Amino acid sequence: MSEAPTVDAPRRRGRPARDDRPVEETRDAILTAALQAFARQGFDGVSLREIASAAGVEHSLVRYHYADKSGLWRAAMTHLVGLMDAHMLEAWAVARMQEPLARFRTMLAAYVRYCARHPEHARIMVHEAMGQSDRVAWIATHIIAPQHRRIATLLQILMDEGHIAPGPVRPLIYILSAAAQAPFTLAGEAHAAYGVDTTDEAEIEAHTETLLGLILPR
């Protein structure tokens, strides 16, 4: 799965504010709050104080664990990559013994389910990818490059075997990624327009089967 990205070590300065939770639980709360905030407002639209408030900790405690907002962003994204890898590894335990076509079905279904569980992933990617920054470069290196290498290899095999129409792989990867993410990234729109909860199990299954049906011959 994705190569483990490097991240600056949490920075401790002075004595932290009191928090009754275990340290790891506090860090998880901060990282979760950061991911949600970055997904809603983008990097520039949120402050460390807002993240601290959402996590239920003092601002000084966030600064104690993480040097600055950039350091927290990298730590939060590294945490998210870890969640993605853990989720996809479960699917890979099954898919690795399958033929390429079945493997593709298994891995795409797992990716759709990950998108449903973590819509903040795609939302952050959209916020960042609209411009150029060190954060975009980080995403390209630690998320996009390893993911695209793996799926490109599998798609090329499926093309060679005649399961998918031949063509350039890169556009197909972006089409698959966007289609897998869309109803969960735009969950508010889907609810307002259709009255559906895209996190419902039946909705996830229906989206998976529809996407597979579009890509693969029946």
Side-chain angles (χ1 to χ4, degrees), residues 39-132:
R40 286 192 309 270
Q41 299 163 252
F43 180 83
D44 294 325
V46 67
S47 69
L48 288 181
R49 288 189 182 279
E50 291 172 305
I51 292 171
S53 178
V57 302
E58 295 292 332
H59 172 244
S60 59
L61 192 59
V62 176
R63 296 301 299 264
Y64 174 76
H65 285 295
Y66 305 99
D68 52 26
K69 190 165 65 169
S70 293
L72 176 56
W73 185 92
R74 288 191 296 273
M77 291 301 291
T78 299
H79 177 68
L80 189 59
V81 170
L83 294 176
M84 178 176 62
D85 283 353
H87 177 87
M88 297 303 292
L89 276 172
E90 292 183 13
W92 181 246
V94 175
R96 62 190 297 268
M97 302 303 294
Q98 295 176 328
E99 295 298 319
L101 185 58
R103 189 186 314 150
F104 175 75
R105 290 179 178 276
T106 298
M107 297 307 291
L108 185 61
Y111 182 65
V112 170
R113 190 166 297 279
Y114 169 78
C115 293
R117 291 180 182 176
H118 296 283
E120 68 275 13
H121 188 134
R123 291 169 185 163
I124 291 173
M125 301 283 270
V126 169
H127 272 295
E128 296 298 342
M130 289 188 291
Q132 293 293 327

Side-chain angles (χ1 to χ4, degrees), residues 12 24 29 42 72 136 173:
R12 298 173 176 77
E24 289 305 317
L72 176 56
V136 175
I173 292 174

Side-chain angles (χ1 to χ4, degrees), residues 1 62 111 148 210 212:
M1 304 310 298
V62 176
Y111 182 65
H148 284 205
T210 300
L212 285 168

